[in-house]
Amino acid sequence: MKLLVVGSVAFDAIETPFGKTDKILGGAATYIGITSSILGVKSGIVSVVGGDFPQEHLNMFTNRGVNIEGIEIVKEGKTFFWSGKYHNDLNTRDTLATEVNVLENFDPKIPNSMQDAEILVLGNLHPGVQLSVLEKMNNRPKLVILDTMNFWMNTAWDILMEMIAKTDVITINDEEARQLSGEYSLVKAAKKIHAMGPKYVIIKKGEHGALLFHDSNVFAIPALPLEDVFDPTGAGDTFAGGFAAYLAKKGKFDFETMKSALIVGSAMASFTVEKFGTERIEEVNESDMFSRLRQFKELTTFDVELQ
Ligand code: AMP
């Protein structure tokens, strides 16, 4: 088991300009687990669901080789539920409901089979819960990747700072990077975030791609221009899954490998947005992934003749 994922396994109800869904499968750990299985990387999820969570979703994970020993089922409880509505630009959304339910008292337990994970991905959760996971690992994983959001900056700043100080790679969106650093320039923001702890800072810019910062190095990639963007939910988590799984596959965590990982993460995220929820990413196989990576290569490779 190379990759340990701690995050939400959830029900989502999503509304976009193209339609709406009832309660469907969602959650950050769900997207990350599915994506790493496409890369053939063994992952394990630590999360909690209620007695209302269908066995078929658990089977889906198992069939993909995702270890779910760490998904606790609270029989008398209800699964975390999130509902959101996207604006016409699909870049912004309103959260309509967050029913924390069993996630409220989530006390992650790391099964022995997952203690040897090389990479730990901490999905967006209360930073105190994220920190407790690190404390429960017998050995510190070689790489700790953290996702967080503005909500925790507003409500749990001190503990979030403690968590960030112990992080190797932080992934946040541009708006959150500005809030975290108090800087408008993303270059200045990344510098300040480096100083908080993380050696690598990834700033996601939705349909405008992503930036990777490390010391004085910057790497930028676009998002694949897609004809149809249907539902951006889970794009950030799919990105994190592709990024982490690629690093797990390579077993190297240097800047050059992370540049490639950024491309894999973006390529995988470009699938997720094509249909509602996990529908599209669940259909993707290895050869779909390779063909999209080729498209990415064509999009970003060029020669310039100055004379
Ligand atoms: P993303 O679109 O990548 O930001 O992630 C969306 C996923 O995050 C959805 O599937 C939600 O179930 C999940 N999610 C939303 N809010 C939270 C929260 N406060 N804690 C944990 N997971 C959440």
Side-chain angles (χ1 to χ4, degrees), residues 85-260:
K85 181 178 175 174
Y86 287 85
H87 302 160
N88 280 340
D89 66 1
L90 285 176
N91 258 342
T92 48
R93 70 184 178 202
D94 294 326
T95 290
L96 302 179
T98 302
E99 292 171 19
V100 187
N101 298 331
V102 290
L103 217 52
E104 170 109 52
N105 299 312
F106 179 37
D107 179 21
K109 291 169 199 74
I110 320 292
N112 282 339
S113 59
M114 300 183 189
Q115 280 285 355
D116 63 346
E118 289 187 0
I119 301 183
L120 170 63
V121 184
L122 293 167
N124 171 34
L125 289 171
H126 189 292
V129 174
Q130 294 175 321
L131 209 51
S132 79
V133 174
L134 262 190
E135 282 156 11
K136 286 173 191 168
M137 303 280 306
N138 296 342
N139 300 304
R140 188 191 189 275
K142 288 186 188 151
L143 196 76
V144 177
I145 303 175
L146 178 80
D147 188 20
T148 190
M149 68 187 294
N150 45 8
F151 180 73
W152 307 119
M153 296 174 205
N154 298 333
T155 59
W157 179 264
D158 289 349
I159 191 135
L160 177 63
M161 285 299 123
E162 224 181 294
M163 182 60 237
I164 290 178
K166 296 192 166 149
T167 296
D168 300 305
V169 184
I170 184 168
T171 75
I172 43 176
N173 69 32
D174 41 4
E175 195 190 315
E176 291 157 353
R178 290 184 172 117
Q179 181 171 347
L180 188 59
S181 63
E183 294 286 351
Y184 184 80
S185 148
L186 294 179
V187 176
K188 286 186 182 161
K191 267 192 193 151
K192 281 209 175 161
I193 299 169
H194 273 320
M196 295 171 187
K199 293 182 283 297
Y200 295 90
V201 176
I202 295 174
I203 301 182
K204 299 171 284 182
K205 301 195 296 163
E207 63 174 338
H208 305 297
L211 298 165
L212 167 68
F213 294 90
H214 171 58
D215 291 335
S216 53
N217 302 312
V218 194
F219 180 63
I221 53 157
L224 198 71
L226 294 170
E227 218 163 291
D228 295 305
V229 175
F230 199 74
D231 167 25
T233 308
D237 306 313
T238 307
F239 170 86
F243 178 83
Y246 182 80
L247 294 177
K249 227 177 151 94
K250 293 288 161 187
K252 287 196 290 189
F253 311 132
D254 54 278
F255 185 64
E256 286 307 309
T257 315
M258 288 209 191
K259 280 160 69 173
S260 308

Side-chain angles (χ1 to χ4, degrees), residues 271-272 274-284 292:
F271 288 115
T272 288
E274 288 179 333
K275 288 187 181 174
F276 270 127
T278 61
E279 196 182 337
R280 181 71 181 109
I281 196 73
E282 282 195 57
E283 298 166 347
V284 172
R292 199 144 284 192

